[in-house]
PDB file of all heavy atoms in Angstrom:
ATOM      1  N   LEU A   1      18.654  91.494 119.026  1.00 98.00           N
ATOM      2  CA  LEU A   1      20.098  91.434 118.770  1.00 98.00           C
ATOM      3  C   LEU A   1      20.380  90.850 117.390  1.00 98.00           C
ATOM      4  O   LEU A   1      21.233  91.346 116.653  1.00 98.00           O
ATOM      5  CB  LEU A   1      20.782  90.590 119.840  1.00 98.00           C
ATOM      6  CG  LEU A   1      21.354  91.297 121.058  1.00 98.00           C
ATOM      7  CD1 LEU A   1      21.943  90.275 122.026  1.00 98.00           C
ATOM      8  CD2 LEU A   1      22.405  92.320 120.664  1.00 98.00           C
ATOM      9  N   ARG A   2      19.686  89.785 117.041  1.00 98.00           N
ATOM     10  CA  ARG A   2      19.901  89.173 115.717  1.00 98.00           C
ATOM     11  C   ARG A   2      19.604  90.168 114.606  1.00 98.00           C
ATOM     12  O   ARG A   2      20.310  90.241 113.600  1.00 98.00           O
ATOM     13  CB  ARG A   2      19.021  87.933 115.553  1.00 98.00           C
ATOM     14  CG  ARG A   2      19.489  86.712 116.318  1.00 98.00           C
ATOM     15  CD  ARG A   2      18.831  85.449 115.768  1.00 98.00           C
ATOM     16  NE  ARG A   2      17.374  85.547 115.750  1.00 98.00           N
ATOM     17  CZ  ARG A   2      16.581  85.202 116.760  1.00 98.00           C
ATOM     18  NH1 ARG A   2      17.104  84.740 117.885  1.00 98.00           N
ATOM     19  NH2 ARG A   2      15.266  85.325 116.657  1.00 98.00           N
ATOM     20  N   HIS A   3      18.519  90.944 114.790  1.00 98.00           N
ATOM     21  CA  HIS A   3      18.133  91.881 113.740  1.00 98.00           C
ATOM     22  C   HIS A   3      19.143  93.013 113.584  1.00 98.00           C
ATOM     23  O   HIS A   3      19.282  93.570 112.493  1.00 98.00           O
ATOM     24  CB  HIS A   3      16.739  92.445 114.029  1.00 98.00           C
ATOM     25  CG  HIS A   3      15.665  91.400 114.108  1.00 98.00           C
ATOM     26  ND1 HIS A   3      15.724  90.224 113.402  1.00 98.00           N
ATOM     27  CD2 HIS A   3      14.500  91.356 114.812  1.00 98.00           C
ATOM     28  CE1 HIS A   3      14.639  89.490 113.661  1.00 98.00           C
ATOM     29  NE2 HIS A   3      13.893  90.157 114.512  1.00 98.00           N
ATOM     30  N   TYR A   4      19.839  93.357 114.664  1.00 98.00           N
ATOM     31  CA  TYR A   4      20.848  94.408 114.607  1.00 98.00           C
ATOM     32  C   TYR A   4      22.232  93.884 114.217  1.00 98.00           C
ATOM     33  O   TYR A   4      23.158  94.680 114.040  1.00 98.00           O
ATOM     34  CB  TYR A   4      20.969  95.108 115.964  1.00 98.00           C
ATOM     35  CG  TYR A   4      20.066  96.297 116.166  1.00 98.00           C
ATOM     36  CD1 TYR A   4      19.126  96.314 117.186  1.00 98.00           C
ATOM     37  CD2 TYR A   4      20.173  97.425 115.351  1.00 98.00           C
ATOM     38  CE1 TYR A   4      18.307  97.421 117.395  1.00 98.00           C
ATOM     39  CE2 TYR A   4      19.362  98.526 115.544  1.00 98.00           C
ATOM     40  CZ  TYR A   4      18.431  98.520 116.573  1.00 98.00           C
ATOM     41  OH  TYR A   4      17.626  99.625 116.774  1.00 98.00           O
ATOM     42  N   THR A   5      22.384  92.582 114.091  1.00 98.00           N
ATOM     43  CA  THR A   5      23.708  92.019 113.804  1.00 98.00           C
ATOM     44  C   THR A   5      23.647  91.070 112.600  1.00 98.00           C
ATOM     45  O   THR A   5      23.849  91.492 111.467  1.00 98.00           O
ATOM     46  CB  THR A   5      24.262  91.302 115.054  1.00 98.00           C
ATOM     47  OG1 THR A   5      23.326  90.300 115.515  1.00 98.00           O
ATOM     48  CG2 THR A   5      24.500  92.286 116.189  1.00 98.00           C
ATOM     49  N   ARG A   6      23.353  89.824 112.853  1.00 98.00           N
ATOM     50  CA  ARG A   6      23.395  88.815 111.801  1.00 98.00           C
ATOM     51  C   ARG A   6      22.448  89.136 110.642  1.00 98.00           C
ATOM     52  O   ARG A   6      22.827  89.054 109.463  1.00 98.00           O
ATOM     53  CB  ARG A   6      23.043  87.445 112.393  1.00 98.00           C
ATOM     54  CG  ARG A   6      23.215  86.287 111.428  1.00 98.00           C
ATOM     55  CD  ARG A   6      22.777  84.984 112.093  1.00 98.00           C
ATOM     56  NE  ARG A   6      21.330  84.927 112.295  1.00 98.00           N
ATOM     57  CZ  ARG A   6      20.712  84.006 113.035  1.00 98.00           C
ATOM     58  NH1 ARG A   6      21.415  83.101 113.681  1.00 98.00           N
ATOM     59  NH2 ARG A   6      19.403  84.000 113.135  1.00 98.00           N
ATOM     60  N   ASP A   7      21.202  89.514 110.968  1.00 98.00           N
ATOM     61  CA  ASP A   7      20.231  89.772 109.905  1.00 98.00           C
ATOM     62  C   ASP A   7      20.569  91.044 109.129  1.00 98.00           C
ATOM     63  O   ASP A   7      20.371  91.102 107.910  1.00 98.00           O
ATOM     64  CB  ASP A   7      18.824  89.867 110.495  1.00 98.00           C
ATOM     65  CG  ASP A   7      18.347  88.536 111.074  1.00 98.00           C
ATOM     66  OD1 ASP A   7      18.924  87.496 110.725  1.00 98.00           O
ATOM     67  OD2 ASP A   7      17.412  88.543 111.899  1.00 98.00           O
ATOM     68  N   ALA A   8      21.055  92.059 109.831  1.00 98.00           N
ATOM     69  CA  ALA A   8      21.451  93.290 109.146  1.00 98.00           C
ATOM     70  C   ALA A   8      22.658  93.040 108.238  1.00 98.00           C
ATOM     71  O   ALA A   8      22.767  93.641 107.162  1.00 98.00           O
ATOM     72  CB  ALA A   8      21.757  94.383 110.162  1.00 98.00           C
ATOM     73  N   ALA A   9      23.563  92.157 108.657  1.00 98.00           N
ATOM     74  CA  ALA A   9      24.694  91.795 107.797  1.00 98.00           C
ATOM     75  C   ALA A   9      24.204  91.081 106.545  1.00 98.00           C
ATOM     76  O   ALA A   9      24.662  91.351 105.431  1.00 98.00           O
ATOM     77  CB  ALA A   9      25.677  90.916 108.569  1.00 98.00           C
ATOM     78  N   TYR A  10      23.259  90.165 106.726  1.00 98.00           N
ATOM     79  CA  TYR A  10      22.682  89.434 105.592  1.00 98.00           C
ATOM     80  C   TYR A  10      22.032  90.400 104.607  1.00 98.00           C
ATOM     81  O   TYR A  10      22.121  90.220 103.386  1.00 98.00           O
ATOM     82  CB  TYR A  10      21.663  88.427 106.117  1.00 98.00           C
ATOM     83  CG  TYR A  10      20.991  87.601 105.049  1.00 98.00           C
ATOM     84  CD1 TYR A  10      21.561  86.404 104.604  1.00 98.00           C
ATOM     85  CD2 TYR A  10      19.779  87.995 104.501  1.00 98.00           C
ATOM     86  CE1 TYR A  10      20.928  85.642 103.624  1.00 98.00           C
ATOM     87  CE2 TYR A  10      19.142  87.240 103.528  1.00 98.00           C
ATOM     88  CZ  TYR A  10      19.725  86.066 103.095  1.00 98.00           C
ATOM     89  OH  TYR A  10      19.101  85.320 102.127  1.00 98.00           O
ATOM     90  N   ALA A  11      21.404  91.441 105.120  1.00 98.00           N
ATOM     91  CA  ALA A  11      20.716  92.408 104.268  1.00 98.00           C
ATOM     92  C   ALA A  11      21.679  93.164 103.370  1.00 98.00           C
ATOM     93  O   ALA A  11      21.268  93.772 102.375  1.00 98.00           O
ATOM     94  CB  ALA A  11      19.919  93.396 105.129  1.00 98.00           C
ATOM     95  N   ALA A  12      22.969  93.125 103.698  1.00 98.00           N
ATOM     96  CA  ALA A  12      23.986  93.807 102.889  1.00 98.00           C
ATOM     97  C   ALA A  12      24.952  92.819 102.234  1.00 98.00           C
ATOM     98  O   ALA A  12      26.041  93.215 101.792  1.00 98.00           O
ATOM     99  CB  ALA A  12      24.770  94.787 103.766  1.00 98.00           C
ATOM    100  N   PHE A  13      24.584  91.552 102.164  1.00 98.00           N
ATOM    101  CA  PHE A  13      25.444  90.508 101.594  1.00 98.00           C
ATOM    102  C   PHE A  13      26.791  90.432 102.324  1.00 98.00           C
ATOM    103  O   PHE A  13      27.823  90.142 101.732  1.00 98.00           O
ATOM    104  CB  PHE A  13      25.697  90.748 100.099  1.00 98.00           C
ATOM    105  CG  PHE A  13      24.491  90.566  99.224  1.00 98.00           C
ATOM    106  CD1 PHE A  13      23.658  91.636  98.917  1.00 98.00           C
ATOM    107  CD2 PHE A  13      24.170  89.325  98.706  1.00 98.00           C
ATOM    108  CE1 PHE A  13      22.545  91.469  98.111  1.00 98.00           C
ATOM    109  CE2 PHE A  13      23.056  89.146  97.886  1.00 98.00           C
ATOM    110  CZ  PHE A  13      22.236  90.226  97.596  1.00 98.00           C
ATOM    111  N   MET A  14      26.778  90.677 103.615  1.00 98.00           N
ATOM    112  CA  MET A  14      28.019  90.714 104.390  1.00 98.00           C
ATOM    113  C   MET A  14      28.047  89.662 105.489  1.00 98.00           C
ATOM    114  O   MET A  14      28.914  89.714 106.360  1.00 98.00           O
ATOM    115  CB  MET A  14      28.198  92.099 105.016  1.00 98.00           C
ATOM    116  CG  MET A  14      28.562  93.204 104.058  1.00 98.00           C
ATOM    117  SD  MET A  14      30.321  93.208 103.650  1.00 98.00           S
ATOM    118  CE  MET A  14      31.031  93.874 105.157  1.00 98.00           C
ATOM    119  N   GLU A  15      27.145  88.696 105.460  1.00 98.00           N
ATOM    120  CA  GLU A  15      27.040  87.746 106.578  1.00 98.00           C
ATOM    121  C   GLU A  15      28.238  86.817 106.694  1.00 98.00           C
ATOM    122  O   GLU A  15      28.427  86.193 107.746  1.00 98.00           O
ATOM    123  CB  GLU A  15      25.745  86.940 106.469  1.00 98.00           C
ATOM    124  CG  GLU A  15      25.738  85.844 105.407  1.00 98.00           C
ATOM    125  CD  GLU A  15      25.397  86.342 104.020  1.00 98.00           C
ATOM    126  OE1 GLU A  15      25.338  87.574 103.807  1.00 98.00           O
ATOM    127  OE2 GLU A  15      25.179  85.492 103.125  1.00 98.00           O
ATOM    128  N   GLN A  16      29.063  86.718 105.656  1.00 97.00           N
ATOM    129  CA  GLN A  16      30.283  85.920 105.751  1.00 97.00           C
ATOM    130  C   GLN A  16      31.453  86.733 106.303  1.00 97.00           C
ATOM    131  O   GLN A  16      32.552  86.197 106.494  1.00 97.00           O
ATOM    132  CB  GLN A  16      30.655  85.357 104.374  1.00 97.00           C
ATOM    133  CG  GLN A  16      29.608  84.428 103.781  1.00 97.00           C
ATOM    134  CD  GLN A  16      29.311  83.235 104.681  1.00 97.00           C
ATOM    135  OE1 GLN A  16      30.228  82.651 105.279  1.00 97.00           O
ATOM    136  NE2 GLN A  16      28.042  82.869 104.794  1.00 97.00           N
ATOM    137  N   GLU A  17      31.218  88.015 106.560  1.00 98.00           N
ATOM    138  CA  GLU A  17      32.282  88.902 107.039  1.00 98.00           C
ATOM    139  C   GLU A  17      31.983  89.484 108.419  1.00 98.00           C
ATOM    140  O   GLU A  17      32.884  89.633 109.243  1.00 98.00           O
ATOM    141  CB  GLU A  17      32.482  90.052 106.039  1.00 98.00           C
ATOM    142  CG  GLU A  17      32.877  89.602 104.643  1.00 98.00           C
ATOM    143  CD  GLU A  17      34.363  89.312 104.529  1.00 98.00           C
ATOM    144  OE1 GLU A  17      35.111  89.686 105.433  1.00 98.00           O
ATOM    145  OE2 GLU A  17      34.764  88.709 103.515  1.00 98.00           O
ATOM    146  N   VAL A  18      30.736  89.861 108.648  1.00 98.00           N
ATOM    147  CA  VAL A  18      30.356  90.528 109.898  1.00 98.00           C
ATOM    148  C   VAL A  18      29.009  89.982 110.367  1.00 98.00           C
ATOM    149  O   VAL A  18      28.344  89.223 109.664  1.00 98.00           O
ATOM    150  CB  VAL A  18      30.273  92.062 109.717  1.00 98.00           C
ATOM    151  CG1 VAL A  18      31.619  92.650 109.365  1.00 98.00           C
ATOM    152  CG2 VAL A  18      29.234  92.434 108.660  1.00 98.00           C
ATOM    153  N   GLY A  19      28.620  90.379 111.578  1.00 98.00           N
ATOM    154  CA  GLY A  19      27.295  90.021 112.089  1.00 98.00           C
ATOM    155  C   GLY A  19      27.300  88.882 113.081  1.00 98.00           C
ATOM    156  O   GLY A  19      26.358  88.735 113.862  1.00 98.00           O
ATOM    157  N   THR A  20      28.326  88.053 113.054  1.00 98.00           N
ATOM    158  CA  THR A  20      28.514  86.989 114.040  1.00 98.00           C
ATOM    159  C   THR A  20      29.992  86.965 114.431  1.00 98.00           C
ATOM    160  O   THR A  20      30.837  87.541 113.742  1.00 98.00           O
ATOM    161  CB  THR A  20      28.096  85.609 113.494  1.00 98.00           C
ATOM    162  OG1 THR A  20      28.817  85.349 112.269  1.00 98.00           O
ATOM    163  CG2 THR A  20      26.606  85.543 113.207  1.00 98.00           C
ATOM    164  N   LEU A  21      30.270  86.290 115.535  1.00 98.00           N
ATOM    165  CA  LEU A  21      31.641  86.213 116.033  1.00 98.00           C
ATOM    166  C   LEU A  21      32.133  84.773 115.931  1.00 98.00           C
ATOM    167  O   LEU A  21      31.737  83.909 116.716  1.00 98.00           O
ATOM    168  CB  LEU A  21      31.703  86.707 117.485  1.00 98.00           C
ATOM    169  CG  LEU A  21      31.269  88.160 117.703  1.00 98.00           C
ATOM    170  CD1 LEU A  21      31.303  88.514 119.186  1.00 98.00           C
ATOM    171  CD2 LEU A  21      32.147  89.119 116.903  1.00 98.00           C
ATOM    172  N   ARG A  22      32.948  84.534 114.932  1.00 97.00           N
ATOM    173  CA  ARG A  22      33.590  83.229 114.781  1.00 97.00           C
ATOM    174  C   ARG A  22      34.900  83.432 114.035  1.00 97.00           C
ATOM    175  O   ARG A  22      35.102  84.448 113.372  1.00 97.00           O
ATOM    176  CB  ARG A  22      32.682  82.227 114.053  1.00 97.00           C
ATOM    177  CG  ARG A  22      32.337  82.573 112.624  1.00 97.00           C
ATOM    178  CD  ARG A  22      31.533  81.442 111.976  1.00 97.00           C
ATOM    179  NE  ARG A  22      31.293  81.682 110.561  1.00 97.00           N
ATOM    180  CZ  ARG A  22      30.223  82.309 110.083  1.00 97.00           C
ATOM    181  NH1 ARG A  22      29.298  82.749 110.911  1.00 97.00           N
ATOM    182  NH2 ARG A  22      30.086  82.492 108.778  1.00 97.00           N
ATOM    183  N   ALA A  23      35.789  82.474 114.159  1.00 97.00           N
ATOM    184  CA  ALA A  23      37.114  82.598 113.565  1.00 97.00           C
ATOM    185  C   ALA A  23      37.020  82.905 112.073  1.00 97.00           C
ATOM    186  O   ALA A  23      36.220  82.291 111.348  1.00 97.00           O
ATOM    187  CB  ALA A  23      37.918  81.324 113.788  1.00 97.00           C
ATOM    188  N   GLY A  24      37.822  83.859 111.628  1.00 97.00           N
ATOM    189  CA  GLY A  24      37.855  84.243 110.231  1.00 97.00           C
ATOM    190  C   GLY A  24      37.015  85.463 109.910  1.00 97.00           C
ATOM    191  O   GLY A  24      37.234  86.109 108.885  1.00 97.00           O
ATOM    192  N   MET A  25      36.052  85.797 110.782  1.00 98.00           N
ATOM    193  CA  MET A  25      35.214  86.965 110.541  1.00 98.00           C
ATOM    194  C   MET A  25      35.988  88.231 110.872  1.00 98.00           C
ATOM    195  O   MET A  25      36.985  88.204 111.613  1.00 98.00           O
ATOM    196  CB  MET A  25      33.952  86.897 111.409  1.00 98.00           C
ATOM    197  CG  MET A  25      33.100  85.654 111.191  1.00 98.00           C
ATOM    198  SD  MET A  25      32.182  85.691 109.633  1.00 98.00           S
ATOM    199  CE  MET A  25      30.785  86.709 110.101  1.00 98.00           C
ATOM    200  N   LEU A  26      35.548  89.352 110.324  1.00 98.00           N
ATOM    201  CA  LEU A  26      36.129  90.632 110.696  1.00 98.00           C
ATOM    202  C   LEU A  26      35.908  90.876 112.185  1.00 98.00           C
ATOM    203  O   LEU A  26      34.850  90.540 112.726  1.00 98.00           O
ATOM    204  CB  LEU A  26      35.517  91.757 109.866  1.00 98.00           C
ATOM    205  CG  LEU A  26      35.910  91.742 108.378  1.00 98.00           C
ATOM    206  CD1 LEU A  26      35.015  92.679 107.574  1.00 98.00           C
ATOM    207  CD2 LEU A  26      37.377  92.130 108.198  1.00 98.00           C
ATOM    208  N   ALA A  27      36.883  91.461 112.838  1.00 98.00           N
ATOM    209  CA  ALA A  27      36.846  91.609 114.300  1.00 98.00           C
ATOM    210  C   ALA A  27      36.034  92.835 114.688  1.00 98.00           C
ATOM    211  O   ALA A  27      36.567  93.869 115.084  1.00 98.00           O
ATOM    212  CB  ALA A  27      38.264  91.694 114.857  1.00 98.00           C
ATOM    213  N   ASP A  28      34.732  92.718 114.549  1.00 98.00           N
ATOM    214  CA  ASP A  28      33.791  93.782 114.913  1.00 98.00           C
ATOM    215  C   ASP A  28      32.976  93.304 116.107  1.00 98.00           C
ATOM    216  O   ASP A  28      32.173  92.364 115.984  1.00 98.00           O
ATOM    217  CB  ASP A  28      32.841  94.091 113.765  1.00 98.00           C
ATOM    218  CG  ASP A  28      33.534  94.645 112.527  1.00 98.00           C
ATOM    219  OD1 ASP A  28      34.771  94.761 112.542  1.00 98.00           O
ATOM    220  OD2 ASP A  28      32.826  94.966 111.553  1.00 98.00           O
ATOM    221  N   PHE A  29      33.142  93.955 117.257  1.00 98.00           N
ATOM    222  CA  PHE A  29      32.367  93.544 118.426  1.00 98.00           C
ATOM    223  C   PHE A  29      32.208  94.708 119.389  1.00 98.00           C
ATOM    224  O   PHE A  29      32.883  95.738 119.288  1.00 98.00           O
ATOM    225  CB  PHE A  29      32.991  92.329 119.120  1.00 98.00           C
ATOM    226  CG  PHE A  29      34.413  92.507 119.578  1.00 98.00           C
ATOM    227  CD1 PHE A  29      34.714  92.962 120.854  1.00 98.00           C
ATOM    228  CD2 PHE A  29      35.475  92.189 118.731  1.00 98.00           C
ATOM    229  CE1 PHE A  29      36.020  93.110 121.273  1.00 98.00           C
ATOM    230  CE2 PHE A  29      36.793  92.334 119.142  1.00 98.00           C
ATOM    231  CZ  PHE A  29      37.074  92.792 120.420  1.00 98.00           C
ATOM    232  N   VAL A  30      31.275  94.527 120.327  1.00 98.00           N
ATOM    233  CA  VAL A  30      30.914  95.565 121.279  1.00 98.00           C
ATOM    234  C   VAL A  30      30.956  94.971 122.678  1.00 98.00           C
ATOM    235  O   VAL A  30      30.483  93.843 122.905  1.00 98.00           O
ATOM    236  CB  VAL A  30      29.494  96.109 120.995  1.00 98.00           C
ATOM    237  CG1 VAL A  30      29.129  97.212 121.980  1.00 98.00           C
ATOM    238  CG2 VAL A  30      29.391  96.613 119.560  1.00 98.00           C
ATOM    239  N   VAL A  31      31.493  95.731 123.620  1.00 98.00           N
ATOM    240  CA  VAL A  31      31.500  95.347 125.029  1.00 98.00           C
ATOM    241  C   VAL A  31      30.487  96.223 125.758  1.00 98.00           C
ATOM    242  O   VAL A  31      30.487  97.453 125.605  1.00 98.00           O
ATOM    243  CB  VAL A  31      32.899  95.524 125.654  1.00 98.00           C
ATOM    244  CG1 VAL A  31      32.897  95.039 127.097  1.00 98.00           C
ATOM    245  CG2 VAL A  31      33.949  94.768 124.834  1.00 98.00           C
ATOM    246  N   LEU A  32      29.616  95.600 126.543  1.00 98.00           N
ATOM    247  CA  LEU A  32      28.531  96.306 127.216  1.00 98.00           C
ATOM    248  C   LEU A  32      28.763  96.361 128.721  1.00 98.00           C
ATOM    249  O   LEU A  32      29.417  95.486 129.295  1.00 98.00           O
ATOM    250  CB  LEU A  32      27.200  95.623 126.920  1.00 98.00           C
ATOM    251  CG  LEU A  32      26.841  95.506 125.430  1.00 98.00           C
ATOM    252  CD1 LEU A  32      25.582  94.653 125.259  1.00 98.00           C
ATOM    253  CD2 LEU A  32      26.644  96.887 124.815  1.00 98.00           C
ATOM    254  N   SER A  33      28.201  97.368 129.346  1.00 98.00           N
ATOM    255  CA  SER A  33      28.391  97.551 130.790  1.00 98.00           C
ATOM    256  C   SER A  33      27.681  96.484 131.596  1.00 98.00           C
ATOM    257  O   SER A  33      28.116  96.133 132.696  1.00 98.00           O
ATOM    258  CB  SER A  33      27.880  98.934 131.205  1.00 98.00           C
ATOM    259  OG  SER A  33      26.479  99.043 130.956  1.00 98.00           O
ATOM    260  N   GLU A  34      26.563  95.990 131.078  1.00 97.00           N
ATOM    261  CA  GLU A  34      25.791  94.963 131.765  1.00 97.00           C
ATOM    262  C   GLU A  34      25.319  93.931 130.751  1.00 97.00           C
ATOM    263  O   GLU A  34      25.388  94.150 129.541  1.00 97.00           O
ATOM    264  CB  GLU A  34      24.585  95.580 132.485  1.00 97.00           C
ATOM    265  CG  GLU A  34      24.943  96.568 133.585  1.00 97.00           C
ATOM    266  CD  GLU A  34      23.703  97.057 134.316  1.00 97.00           C
ATOM    267  OE1 GLU A  34      22.954  96.210 134.853  1.00 97.00           O
ATOM    268  OE2 GLU A  34      23.481  98.280 134.354  1.00 97.00           O
ATOM    269  N   ASP A  35      24.811  92.829 131.265  1.00 97.00           N
ATOM    270  CA  ASP A  35      24.340  91.751 130.394  1.00 97.00           C
ATOM    271  C   ASP A  35      22.913  92.039 129.966  1.00 97.00           C
ATOM    272  O   ASP A  35      21.970  91.779 130.709  1.00 97.00           O
ATOM    273  CB  ASP A  35      24.429  90.412 131.122  1.00 97.00           C
ATOM    274  CG  ASP A  35      24.070  89.252 130.216  1.00 97.00           C
ATOM    275  OD1 ASP A  35      23.810  89.489 129.008  1.00 97.00           O
ATOM    276  OD2 ASP A  35      24.037  88.104 130.701  1.00 97.00           O
ATOM    277  N   LEU A  36      22.742  92.578 128.768  1.00 96.00           N
ATOM    278  CA  LEU A  36      21.392  92.926 128.334  1.00 96.00           C
ATOM    279  C   LEU A  36      20.502  91.704 128.153  1.00 96.00           C
ATOM    280  O   LEU A  36      19.270  91.839 128.067  1.00 96.00           O
ATOM    281  CB  LEU A  36      21.436  93.760 127.053  1.00 96.00           C
ATOM    282  CG  LEU A  36      21.622  93.100 125.694  1.00 96.00           C
ATOM    283  CD1 LEU A  36      21.464  94.171 124.594  1.00 96.00           C
ATOM    284  CD2 LEU A  36      22.945  92.417 125.544  1.00 96.00           C
ATOM    285  N   LEU A  37      21.094  90.504 128.132  1.00 97.00           N
ATOM    286  CA  LEU A  37      20.279  89.288 128.019  1.00 97.00           C
ATOM    287  C   LEU A  37      19.678  88.870 129.361  1.00 97.00           C
ATOM    288  O   LEU A  37      18.809  88.000 129.397  1.00 97.00           O
ATOM    289  CB  LEU A  37      21.116  88.148 127.446  1.00 97.00           C
ATOM    290  CG  LEU A  37      21.513  88.318 125.972  1.00 97.00           C
ATOM    291  CD1 LEU A  37      22.534  87.270 125.576  1.00 97.00           C
ATOM    292  CD2 LEU A  37      20.281  88.230 125.083  1.00 97.00           C
ATOM    293  N   SER A  38      20.129  89.474 130.444  1.00 97.00           N
ATOM    294  CA  SER A  38      19.567  89.120 131.751  1.00 97.00           C
ATOM    295  C   SER A  38      18.958  90.311 132.482  1.00 97.00           C
ATOM    296  O   SER A  38      18.262  90.137 133.475  1.00 97.00           O
ATOM    297  CB  SER A  38      20.643  88.477 132.642  1.00 97.00           C
ATOM    298  OG  SER A  38      21.721  89.369 132.854  1.00 97.00           O
ATOM    299  N   VAL A  39      19.197  91.527 131.994  1.00 97.00           N
ATOM    300  CA  VAL A  39      18.595  92.715 132.599  1.00 97.00           C
ATOM    301  C   VAL A  39      17.086  92.692 132.358  1.00 97.00           C
ATOM    302  O   VAL A  39      16.637  92.365 131.252  1.00 97.00           O
ATOM    303  CB  VAL A  39      19.216  93.990 131.996  1.00 97.00           C
ATOM    304  CG1 VAL A  39      18.435  95.231 132.401  1.00 97.00           C
ATOM    305  CG2 VAL A  39      20.667  94.121 132.413  1.00 97.00           C
ATOM    306  N   PRO A  40      16.263  93.036 133.348  1.00 97.00           N
ATOM    307  CA  PRO A  40      14.812  93.116 133.116  1.00 97.00           C
ATOM    308  C   PRO A  40      14.509  94.066 131.963  1.00 97.00           C
ATOM    309  O   PRO A  40      15.159  95.126 131.844  1.00 97.00           O
ATOM    310  CB  PRO A  40      14.279  93.663 134.447  1.00 97.00           C
ATOM    311  CG  PRO A  40      15.290  93.253 135.461  1.00 97.00           C
ATOM    312  CD  PRO A  40      16.613  93.309 134.751  1.00 97.00           C
ATOM    313  N   PRO A  41      13.581  93.716 131.084  1.00 97.00           N
ATOM    314  CA  PRO A  41      13.334  94.531 129.883  1.00 97.00           C
ATOM    315  C   PRO A  41      13.130  96.007 130.166  1.00 97.00           C
ATOM    316  O   PRO A  41      13.649  96.859 129.444  1.00 97.00           O
ATOM    317  CB  PRO A  41      12.078  93.891 129.284  1.00 97.00           C
ATOM    318  CG  PRO A  41      12.149  92.461 129.719  1.00 97.00           C
ATOM    319  CD  PRO A  41      12.740  92.494 131.100  1.00 97.00           C
ATOM    320  N   GLU A  42      12.384  96.318 131.226  1.00 96.00           N
ATOM    321  CA  GLU A  42      12.104  97.720 131.497  1.00 96.00           C
ATOM    322  C   GLU A  42      13.343  98.484 131.971  1.00 96.00           C
ATOM    323  O   GLU A  42      13.330  99.716 132.068  1.00 96.00           O
ATOM    324  CB  GLU A  42      10.995  97.852 132.531  1.00 96.00           C
ATOM    325  CG  GLU A  42      11.314  97.292 133.902  1.00 96.00           C
ATOM    326  CD  GLU A  42      11.075  95.787 134.017  1.00 96.00           C
ATOM    327  OE1 GLU A  42      10.785  95.150 132.978  1.00 96.00           O
ATOM    328  OE2 GLU A  42      11.157  95.261 135.146  1.00 96.00           O
TER     329      GLU A  42
END
């Protein structure tokens, strides 16, 4: 997840605008059907 968000933003000098969710950042986010952090990897 970090590599697809925060690190990819850093790679484009955009980490102060996108890649994380905190006040002041551009409102870019994704809603998922399930919690990929708890779903079994397979």
Side-chain angles (χ1 to χ4, degrees):
L1 267 178
R2 285 198 305 271
H3 300 330
Y4 270 120
T5 55
R6 187 183 70 191
D7 294 342
Y10 180 88
F13 291 92
M14 288 280 285
E15 75 276 10
Q16 298 302 319
E17 300 278 347
V18 296
T20 55
L21 299 177
R22 64 175 186 269
M25 302 286 279
L26 291 167
D28 296 2
F29 58 91
V30 181
V31 183
L32 302 173
S33 63
E34 297 184 57
D35 185 3
L36 80 174
L37 291 170
S38 60
V39 169
E42 63 276 7

